[in-house]
Amino acid sequence: MDKASLIGLVLGIGAVLGGQALEGGSLHSIMQFTAAFIVFGGTFGAVFLSFPLENVIGGFKDLKTVIKEPPQDPSKIIQQITQYANKARKEGILSLEKETKTVDDPFLSKALTMAVDGVEPHLIREAMETELAYLDEHGKISAKVFLAAGGYAPTIGILGAVLGLIHVMENLNDPSKLGAGIAVAFVATVYGVGSANLLFLPMATKLQVRHRHQMIVKEMILEGIVAVSTGENPRLIEEKLNSFLPEIQKLKQGKKK
Amino acid sequence: MDKASLIGLVLGIGAVLGGQALEGGSLHSIMQFTAAFIVFGGTFGAVFLSFPLENVIGGFKDLKTVIKEPPQDPSKIIQQITQYANKARKEGILSLEKETKTVDDPFLSKALTMAVDGVEPHLIREAMETELAYLDEHGKISAKVFLAAGGYAPTIGILGAVLGLIHVMENLNDPSKLGAGIAVAFVATVYGVGSANLLFLPMATKLQVRHRHQMIVKEMILEGIVAVSTGENPRLIEEKLNSFLPEIQKLKQGKKK
Amino acid sequence: MDKASLIGLVLGIGAVLGGQALEGGSLHSIMQFTAAFIVFGGTFGAVFLSFPLENVIGGFKDLKTVIKEPPQDPSKIIQQITQYANKARKEGILSLEKETKTVDDPFLSKALTMAVDGVEPHLIREAMETELAYLDEHGKISAKVFLAAGGYAPTIGILGAVLGLIHVMENLNDPSKLGAGIAVAFVATVYGVGSANLLFLPMATKLQVRHRHQMIVKEMILEGIVAVSTGENPRLIEEKLNSFLPEIQKLKQGKKK
Amino acid sequence: MDKASLIGLVLGIGAVLGGQALEGGSLHSIMQFTAAFIVFGGTFGAVFLSFPLENVIGGFKDLKTVIKEPPQDPSKIIQQITQYANKARKEGILSLEKETKTVDDPFLSKALTMAVDGVEPHLIREAMETELAYLDEHGKISAKVFLAAGGYAPTIGILGAVLGLIHVMENLNDPSKLGAGIAVAFVATVYGVGSANLLFLPMATKLQVRHRHQMIVKEMILEGIVAVSTGENPRLIEEKLNSFLPEIQKLKQGKKK
Amino acid sequence: MDKASLIGLVLGIGAVLGGQALEGGSLHSIMQFTAAFIVFGGTFGAVFLSFPLENVIGGFKDLKTVIKEPPQDPSKIIQQITQYANKARKEGILSLEKETKTVDDPFLSKALTMAVDGVEPHLIREAMETELAYLDEHGKISAKVFLAAGGYAPTIGILGAVLGLIHVMENLNDPSKLGAGIAVAFVATVYGVGSANLLFLPMATKLQVRHRHQMIVKEMILEGIVAVSTGENPRLIEEKLNSFLPEIQKLKQGKKK
């Protein structure tokens, strides 16, 4: 569970709703179906026109990682690769063939298979770096979807506001409708600016952070397997891989570099 | 047919028009010839001044790919290149001469011809990478045209609004004209912000995605033909090319990497 | 003559003036000497403070290329270099000495001279790439001047508007002046936003496109002369250089790649 | 103590509060709990949703370096590395083993240990450059946290203002509440724009500057230890490392390059 | 003396003050101590919080180069290096030892000293390129200081305006103060937008241009001294260095490339 995401969602939306209550306004006055229809319909219309269907669906699926951190534990993977290095040293790299089948991570599995197949280290690196580059490009798309939504929403909110103001202006000779009408128009701005800054853009940023974490783990795996395939000293491999963990992570493990 | 584009167009424009109807406004009040004349005339004036005529025409021609996905199927091309690799292994690379004439894709055709002509693999790579770089630069222009339109439209919309407001201000001593006049002025803002965020910018983004897909296919072709010309193992070539397909695509084919 | 630039200028400015006329406003009401004085004086003041005098003058001189495309024809240069390649093959590279003096383009002349002088191909490439990098940097300045003008103009327009509004506010107890005064203030916004989006930014973009075209021709010349100096097959050189022409250009020549 | 940070904080916030006093306004009128609740609750909600908890906490911890410059003195480190070079020349690189344990900086310690262990210079460079790249990425996060806060705050401020205006509009038939209500709404704008431009963005910039200083010191250490491990002339090493100090720093030391 | 900077300052500020006079407004109405206190106090507060003290001081010191171009003449330096090349050819590179002491420019002096000391050309290049990279990074800071000021000023101007409007709103039942109060509030906007667009941003741009000029001269020196140390033909060196001068500069010297 990503505590920061939960705190962020509750704090952000709570601040706006709570502020509204503190001012003595009713929730009712910022619940406006028409405004929501324009802003969210327009925003997602723009998002669907911007990206292929699979990317939009993939983006929404990835949203669960904003709340629930994926379980991958880099220090466990370091331990695993160090074990491979030890086994390869003692029993030869072919002894790792069994491991290639039990490994969960497809990237680790593919790299390990190449190493067991006796592919030369620099060719493993080359092939896995190409794979890495495309995984990186592909993995960034979900964040881009919400970045785009965060870009469209405020302007569509302004569009909704202007539409509301046009309506107000046409009824200007009926002053009693003036204030309420403008209020309605402003709700579209609240939806556009609020959804972008309290939801879409922060979620896009967290998706980027998550994706980068996954890429660092993959870069670490790549360095590790290349080192295993060159028969490097297991202790040196462990040390090298540890430098991939950011310092804060190291502190958690009670080690001091 | 790109479903997302259709959904996006209908949802985006429908949300704005539907929202207008829900508020009790008539469509008539957001149909304004003068505002359209200023906003779209100004925007396309700026676009024509920004780009050569061929680029603008090319941009509009490419718009059809926003709605109708080009038919290129990467997994079919992988299959094709794997067949070349098999044939080249068994009957020699010269046996592929016939294939160079039946190939549709000019990029694949050119690379294959070089391979059949016995050009060295690293020279094929070099020549095709230069070709790739220029194709990439050229292919990005259509998206740039609509990106520019999406940048100009909202500001020209504001220009139209200000022009409208000037007109209103001059007739300020006739209060009955005030509201309606401002409403007219706001329609220019709606056109500018709406066309940019519901049409131009999303279309530019989809054109970028489409172009990138085409480039990845070409990068895959390049790797494939270079591998064929070095006489690599056909099974390894197929595996290498598959890593070009994003994971979502792989899942579609019922494979799990 | 660049048709798109002419269309763009007429369409853009025509849309604004025509829209004003359609609304029943007089041209007179958007002709305001004071507003023009503030906006264009301020904008060019900022531009002169931003760039050295030669860059600003050079920028204005380059404006003619926005309207009148420079005559350089890449397919003619390809033909020329192919002839050099043929002659060098038959009569030796020294036979090209005469050509170095008749060539117009200084970049082609310099590269050819190095080739005739027997400088090694990789040294020609190195020297000409350095030259290319500086030509590229230098050639981008004119576009930057108008990009800067397009950045300053709208904000100076707002400055003019605020100055006007200050004036209006001071005369607030004379309501008859209110509307006309605000109208005057808005004209500054029209000048700032209009000049940036209908002139400065589009002209900067076209200057960038023109400059990039010139650079591609120079990159092509560089590849061509290096190939001539290594004694490559003239037919292969022609083919290599043709890949520099964007596909649209090729279609014009009635060829299909 | 970073004098500029203190001056900046006092000057920036003092200018706003002092200006308010000079205008004859009371501090009370810009102290608004509801506005603060919306703006800072919303901003930090967005920040928590954007980044993992450790990054946000790390960002706040790093804030102390904005006020209190970290003590690292590059010229002392140059002196230290020059001593290592001298000792390594006279007594062999193994004589530095004792130093690896007394060194504070973990980066210097790690590089020195590799040198003492006899790792080849180009492998030391490679390993430490990988370490450097990840330290760089990790060290930039704190600045990013405040950059994000500086991006969210003004828009959340506008959100608060619009919420306030909605409230005002609903009470429009009670003109006595009009002015005070709008004033309340504007305070949210002041909090959003003010906190972003007087606190978050400047602090993010200073964190970036601090981080870059630390990275330059690490780049210098890397060059120094690689030079020590290749047995370079200590005087040349000192000279090389001195070129890492910006010129202003050199002037402080009373040297002239 | 940089004529463009003088023209720019006079034209830009003159246009605003002149425009104010043309409209019949008094200078007095845009001279507002409180507004200046908020805008410039806030802006420089933010700048001091953003950068270390030396960088801010260094930025202000560099401002003199905006008005008075530094005297460095690249064609004189080319002449100088060509003389070194001639002397080194005739009398050996050691004969340049005397020159290393009379040279003003510390970068040229350092490179020349390495050449005279017999350091290998590729090591001179490597060492001086590292030096160049840090000089480049250091030299960009002054422009960044004013770029930051140009970013903060308009938003602090809006802050000042909102503070003013709050004050106005609190006195809304005294209509006579309304107009004058709003006028005061607007002056803060004028100061913020005006100082950013007529001073800070243009000065930052000119500082960038100046810095880039100095870097090109240093890149030229580097190429020249490396060529001297490899014993290249003096005439070829001169030609190579001339390609560093932008074409406009060449025209000034009455040469045609």
Side-chain angles (χ1 to χ4, degrees):
Chain A
M1 194 64 72
D2 182 323
K3 275 178 226 154
S5 290
L6 280 185
I7 297 172
L9 275 170
V10 171
L11 185 57
I13 293 175
V16 170
L17 299 184
Q20 172 72 358
L22 280 170
E23 277 194 274
S26 65
L27 265 189
H28 183 80
S29 64
I30 55 170
M31 301 293 275
Q32 252 288 326
F33 177 72
T34 308
F37 187 82
I38 294 174
V39 174
F40 299 113
T43 298
F44 285 101
V47 167
F48 276 102
L49 187 49
S50 298
F51 296 96
L53 199 57
E54 306 91 52
N55 294 158
V56 182
I57 293 171
F60 276 96
K61 277 189 184 156
D62 281 357
L63 275 192
K64 65 171 182 288
T65 71
V66 168
I67 294 297
K68 204 167 149 47
E69 222 169 331
Q72 207 171 34
D73 178 1
S75 54
K76 212 171 246 172
I77 292 177
I78 294 177
Q79 211 179 312
Q80 208 175 346
I81 293 177
T82 313
Q83 283 171 3
Y84 296 162
N86 275 314
K87 200 170 177 194
R89 272 235 155 166
K90 284 178 209 149
E91 312 170 29
I93 197 144
L94 279 174
S95 70
L96 292 172
E97 189 156 19
K98 210 167 48 195
E99 272 78 2
T100 62
K101 282 154 200 160
T102 59
V103 167
D104 266 350
D105 186 275
F107 188 83
L108 174 50
S109 163
K110 185 169 177 181
L112 193 58
T113 305
M114 288 183 87
V116 170
D117 285 356
V119 178
E120 276 185 60
H122 80 269
L123 290 178
I124 298 181
R125 178 182 296 281
E126 206 183 286
M128 295 316 284
E129 274 177 355
T130 301
E131 174 109 15
L132 212 54
Y134 287 100
L135 282 176
D136 191 26
E137 187 177 343
H138 184 59
K140 279 175 180 159
I141 293 175
S142 292
K144 278 188 189 171
V145 167
F146 288 98
L147 217 56
Y152 294 133
T155 47
I156 309 275
I158 287 168
L159 193 69
V162 175
L163 283 177
L165 290 176
I166 291 174
H167 193 60
V168 168
M169 289 298 160
E170 286 176 332
N171 298 302
L172 212 60
N173 31 15
D174 184 354
S176 69
K177 288 184 179 172
L178 196 73
I182 293 179
V184 167
F186 282 166
V187 172
T189 310
V190 171
Y191 286 176
V193 173
S195 64
N197 287 282
L198 298 176
L199 293 176
F200 301 143
L201 297 177
M203 291 188 317
T205 306
K206 180 117 339 148
L207 284 174
Q208 284 171 336
V209 172
R210 287 273 188 275
H211 169 64
R212 185 64 195 128
H213 283 181
Q214 289 178 351
M215 290 310 291
I216 291 182
V217 172
K218 287 192 168 55
E219 290 171 19
M220 191 187 75
I221 289 172
L222 169 53
E223 290 305 321
I225 296 302
V226 167
V228 169
S229 81
T230 52
E232 257 182 50
N233 184 322
R235 201 183 52 78
L236 287 181
I237 293 177
E238 190 181 5
E239 211 167 273
K240 183 192 280 187
L241 299 189
N242 274 317
S243 78
F244 279 82
L245 301 171
E247 278 167 349
I248 210 162
Q249 187 90 13
K250 282 175 192 159
L251 291 174
K252 275 187 187 173
Q253 299 167 44
K255 288 184 199 168
K256 210 160 184 176
K257 190 189 56 170
Chain B
M1 194 65 71
D2 182 324
K3 275 178 228 155
S5 290
L6 281 184
I7 297 172
L9 276 170
V10 171
L11 184 57
I13 294 176
V16 170
L17 298 185
Q20 172 72 358
L22 280 170
E23 276 192 277
S26 65
L27 265 189
H28 183 80
S29 63
I30 55 170
M31 300 293 274
Q32 252 288 326
F33 178 72
T34 308
F37 187 82
I38 294 174
V39 174
F40 299 112
T43 298
F44 285 100
V47 166
F48 276 103
L49 187 49
S50 298
F51 296 96
L53 199 56
E54 306 90 52
N55 295 158
V56 182
I57 293 171
F60 276 96
K61 277 189 185 157
D62 281 358
L63 275 192
K64 66 172 181 288
T65 71
V66 168
I67 293 298
K68 204 167 147 49
E69 223 169 330
Q72 207 170 35
D73 177 0
S75 54
K76 212 172 245 172
I77 293 177
I78 294 177
Q79 212 179 313
Q80 209 174 346
I81 293 177
T82 313
Q83 284 171 1
Y84 296 163
N86 275 314
K87 201 171 175 191
R89 274 233 153 167
K90 286 178 206 149
E91 312 170 28
I93 198 146
L94 280 173
S95 69
L96 293 172
E97 189 155 22
K98 209 167 48 193
E99 271 78 2
T100 62
K101 281 153 201 161
T102 59
V103 166
D104 267 350
D105 186 275
F107 188 83
L108 174 50
S109 164
K110 186 169 178 183
L112 193 58
T113 305
M114 289 184 86
V116 170
D117 285 355
V119 178
E120 275 184 62
H122 79 269
L123 291 178
I124 298 181
R125 178 182 297 280
E126 207 183 284
M128 297 316 286
E129 274 177 356
T130 301
E131 175 108 15
L132 212 54
Y134 286 100
L135 282 177
D136 191 27
E137 187 177 344
H138 184 59
K140 280 175 181 158
I141 294 175
S142 292
K144 277 188 188 170
V145 168
F146 289 97
L147 217 56
Y152 294 133
T155 47
I156 309 275
I158 287 167
L159 193 70
V162 175
L163 283 177
L165 291 175
I166 291 174
H167 193 59
V168 167
M169 289 300 160
E170 286 176 332
N171 297 304
L172 213 60
N173 31 14
D174 184 354
S176 69
K177 288 184 178 172
L178 196 72
I182 293 179
V184 167
F186 282 166
V187 171
T189 311
V190 171
Y191 286 176
V193 172
S195 64
N197 288 282
L198 297 176
L199 293 176
F200 300 144
L201 297 177
M203 291 188 317
T205 306
K206 179 117 341 148
L207 284 174
Q208 284 171 335
V209 172
R210 286 273 189 275
H211 169 65
R212 184 65 195 126
H213 284 181
Q214 290 178 349
M215 290 310 291
I216 291 182
V217 172
K218 287 192 168 55
E219 291 171 18
M220 191 187 75
I221 290 173
L222 169 52
E223 290 304 323
I225 296 301
V226 167
V228 169
S229 80
T230 51
E232 256 183 50
N233 183 322
R235 200 182 53 80
L236 287 180
I237 293 178
E238 189 180 4
E239 210 167 274
K240 184 192 279 187
L241 298 189
N242 274 318
S243 77
F244 279 82
L245 300 171
E247 279 167 347
I248 209 162
Q249 188 90 12
K250 281 174 194 160
L251 290 173
K252 274 187 188 172
Q253 298 167 45
K255 288 183 198 167
K256 209 158 183 177
K257 189 190 54 171
Chain C
M1 194 62 73
D2 181 324
K3 274 178 229 156
S5 289
L6 280 184
I7 297 172
L9 275 171
V10 171
L11 185 57
I13 294 175
V16 170
L17 299 185
Q20 172 72 358
L22 280 170
E23 277 194 275
S26 66
L27 265 189
H28 184 80
S29 64
I30 56 169
M31 300 293 275
Q32 253 287 327
F33 178 72
T34 308
F37 187 81
I38 294 174
V39 173
F40 299 113
T43 298
F44 285 101
V47 166
F48 276 103
L49 187 49
S50 298
F51 296 95
L53 200 55
E54 306 91 52
N55 295 157
V56 182
I57 294 172
F60 276 95
K61 277 188 184 158
D62 281 357
L63 275 192
K64 65 172 182 290
T65 70
V66 169
I67 294 297
K68 204 167 148 49
E69 223 170 329
Q72 208 171 33
D73 177 1
S75 55
K76 213 171 244 169
I77 293 178
I78 294 178
Q79 213 179 311
Q80 210 175 345
I81 293 178
T82 313
Q83 284 172 1
Y84 296 164
N86 274 314
K87 201 171 175 192
R89 274 234 155 167
K90 287 178 208 148
E91 312 170 30
I93 197 145
L94 279 173
S95 69
L96 292 173
E97 189 155 23
K98 208 166 50 194
E99 271 79 2
T100 62
K101 281 154 200 160
T102 59
V103 167
D104 268 350
D105 186 275
F107 187 84
L108 173 50
S109 164
K110 186 169 177 182
L112 192 59
T113 306
M114 289 184 86
V116 170
D117 285 356
V119 179
E120 276 183 61
H122 80 270
L123 290 177
I124 299 181
R125 178 182 297 280
E126 207 183 286
M128 296 316 286
E129 274 178 354
T130 301
E131 175 108 16
L132 212 55
Y134 286 101
L135 282 176
D136 191 26
E137 186 178 344
H138 184 59
K140 280 176 180 157
I141 294 175
S142 292
K144 277 188 189 170
V145 167
F146 289 98
L147 216 57
Y152 294 132
T155 47
I156 309 275
I158 287 168
L159 193 70
V162 176
L163 283 177
L165 290 176
I166 291 174
H167 194 58
V168 167
M169 290 298 160
E170 286 176 334
N171 297 304
L172 212 59
N173 30 14
D174 184 354
S176 70
K177 287 183 179 172
L178 195 71
I182 294 179
V184 167
F186 283 166
V187 171
T189 310
V190 171
Y191 286 176
V193 173
S195 64
N197 287 282
L198 297 176
L199 293 177
F200 300 144
L201 296 177
M203 290 188 317
T205 305
K206 181 126 326 157
L207 285 174
Q208 284 172 335
V209 172
R210 287 273 190 276
H211 169 65
R212 184 65 195 125
H213 284 180
Q214 289 178 351
M215 291 308 292
I216 291 181
V217 172
K218 287 192 169 54
E219 291 171 18
M220 190 188 75
I221 290 173
L222 170 52
E223 290 305 321
I225 296 302
V226 166
V228 169
S229 80
T230 51
E232 257 182 49
N233 183 324
R235 199 182 54 79
L236 286 181
I237 293 179
E238 190 180 4
E239 209 167 275
K240 184 193 279 189
L241 298 189
N242 274 318
S243 78
F244 278 82
L245 300 171
E247 279 167 348
I248 209 163
Q249 187 91 13
K250 281 173 194 162
L251 290 173
K252 275 187 188 173
Q253 299 166 44
K255 287 184 199 169
K256 209 157 183 178
K257 190 190 55 169
Chain D
M1 195 62 73
D2 182 322
K3 275 178 227 155
S5 289
L6 280 185
I7 297 172
L9 275 171
V10 172
L11 185 56
I13 294 175
V16 170
L17 299 185
Q20 172 73 356
L22 279 170
E23 276 194 276
S26 65
L27 264 188
H28 183 79
S29 63
I30 56 169
M31 301 292 275
Q32 252 289 326
F33 177 71
T34 308
F37 187 81
I38 294 174
V39 174
F40 299 114
T43 299
F44 285 102
V47 166
F48 275 103
L49 186 49
S50 298
F51 296 96
L53 199 57
E54 306 91 54
N55 295 159
V56 182
I57 294 171
F60 276 96
K61 277 189 184 155
D62 281 358
L63 275 192
K64 66 172 182 289
T65 71
V66 168
I67 294 297
K68 204 167 148 49
E69 221 170 332
Q72 207 172 34
D73 178 1
S75 54
K76 210 170 247 171
I77 292 177
I78 294 178
Q79 213 179 311
Q80 208 175 345
I81 293 177
T82 314
Q83 284 171 2
Y84 296 163
N86 275 314
K87 200 169 176 195
R89 274 235 154 167
K90 284 179 210 148
E91 311 170 30
I93 197 144
L94 279 173
S95 69
L96 292 173
E97 188 157 20
K98 209 167 47 195
E99 273 78 2
T100 62
K101 282 154 200 160
T102 59
V103 166
D104 267 349
D105 187 274
F107 187 85
L108 174 49
S109 164
K110 185 169 178 182
L112 193 59
T113 305
M114 289 183 87
V116 170
D117 285 356
V119 179
E120 275 183 63
H122 80 269
L123 290 177
I124 299 181
R125 179 183 296 281
E126 206 184 287
M128 296 316 285
E129 274 178 354
T130 301
E131 173 108 15
L132 213 54
Y134 286 101
L135 282 176
D136 191 26
E137 188 177 343
H138 184 59
K140 279 175 180 159
I141 294 175
S142 292
K144 276 188 189 172
V145 167
F146 289 98
L147 217 57
Y152 294 132
T155 46
I156 309 276
I158 287 167
L159 193 69
V162 175
L163 283 177
L165 290 176
I166 291 174
H167 194 60
V168 168
M169 288 299 159
E170 287 176 332
N171 298 303
L172 212 60
N173 31 13
D174 183 355
S176 69
K177 287 184 179 173
L178 195 73
I182 293 179
V184 167
F186 282 166
V187 171
T189 311
V190 171
Y191 286 176
V193 173
S195 64
N197 287 282
L198 297 175
L199 293 176
F200 300 143
L201 296 177
M203 292 188 316
T205 307
K206 181 123 327 155
L207 284 174
Q208 284 172 335
V209 172
R210 288 272 189 275
H211 170 65
R212 185 64 195 125
H213 283 182
Q214 288 178 350
M215 290 310 291
I216 292 182
V217 171
K218 287 192 168 56
E219 291 171 17
M220 191 188 75
I221 289 173
L222 170 53
E223 291 304 322
I225 296 302
V226 167
V228 169
S229 80
T230 53
E232 257 182 50
N233 184 323
R235 199 182 53 79
L236 286 181
I237 293 178
E238 190 180 4
E239 210 167 273
K240 183 191 280 187
L241 299 189
N242 274 317
S243 78
F244 279 81
L245 301 170
E247 278 166 351
I248 210 163
Q249 187 89 13
K250 283 174 194 161
L251 290 173
K252 275 188 186 173
Q253 301 168 43
K255 286 185 199 167
K256 209 160 183 174
K257 189 189 53 170
Chain E
M1 194 62 74
D2 182 323
K3 272 178 229 156
S5 290
L6 280 185
I7 297 172
L9 275 170
V10 171
L11 185 56
I13 294 174
V16 170
L17 299 185
Q20 172 72 358
L22 279 171
E23 276 193 277
S26 66
L27 265 189
H28 183 79
S29 64
I30 56 169
M31 300 293 274
Q32 252 287 327
F33 178 71
T34 308
F37 187 82
I38 294 174
V39 174
F40 299 113
T43 299
F44 285 101
V47 167
F48 276 103
L49 187 49
S50 298
F51 296 96
L53 200 56
E54 307 91 52
N55 294 158
V56 182
I57 294 171
F60 276 95
K61 277 190 184 156
D62 281 358
L63 274 193
K64 66 172 182 289
T65 70
V66 168
I67 294 297
K68 204 166 147 50
E69 222 169 330
Q72 207 170 34
D73 178 1
S75 54
K76 211 171 247 170
I77 292 177
I78 294 178
Q79 214 179 310
Q80 209 176 344
I81 293 177
T82 314
Q83 283 172 2
Y84 296 163
N86 274 314
K87 201 171 175 192
R89 273 235 155 166
K90 286 179 208 146
E91 310 170 32
I93 197 144
L94 279 173
S95 69
L96 292 173
E97 189 156 21
K98 208 166 49 193
E99 271 78 2
T100 63
K101 281 154 200 160
T102 58
V103 167
D104 268 350
D105 186 276
F107 187 84
L108 174 50
S109 163
K110 185 168 178 183
L112 193 58
T113 306
M114 289 183 87
V116 170
D117 285 356
V119 179
E120 275 184 63
H122 80 270
L123 291 178
I124 299 181
R125 178 182 297 280
E126 205 184 288
M128 296 316 285
E129 274 178 354
T130 301
E131 175 109 15
L132 212 55
Y134 286 101
L135 282 176
D136 191 26
E137 186 177 344
H138 184 59
K140 278 175 181 159
I141 294 175
S142 292
K144 277 188 188 169
V145 167
F146 289 98
L147 216 57
Y152 294 132
T155 47
I156 309 275
I158 287 167
L159 193 68
V162 175
L163 283 177
L165 290 176
I166 291 174
H167 194 60
V168 168
M169 289 299 159
E170 287 176 332
N171 298 303
L172 211 60
N173 31 14
D174 183 353
S176 70
K177 287 183 179 172
L178 195 72
I182 293 179
V184 167
F186 282 165
V187 172
T189 310
V190 172
Y191 286 176
V193 173
S195 63
N197 287 283
L198 297 176
L199 293 176
F200 300 144
L201 296 176
M203 291 189 316
T205 306
K206 182 127 322 158
L207 284 174
Q208 283 171 336
V209 172
R210 288 273 189 274
H211 169 66
R212 184 65 195 125
H213 284 181
Q214 289 178 350
M215 290 310 292
I216 291 182
V217 171
K218 287 193 168 55
E219 291 171 19
M220 190 187 75
I221 289 172
L222 170 53
E223 291 304 321
I225 296 302
V226 167
V228 168
S229 81
T230 51
E232 257 183 49
N233 183 322
R235 198 181 55 79
L236 286 181
I237 293 178
E238 190 179 4
E239 209 166 277
K240 184 192 278 187
L241 299 189
N242 274 318
S243 78
F244 279 81
L245 300 170
E247 278 166 350
I248 210 162
Q249 187 89 11
K250 282 174 194 162
L251 290 174
K252 275 188 186 173
Q253 299 167 44
K255 287 185 200 167
K256 210 158 183 176
K257 188 190 55 168

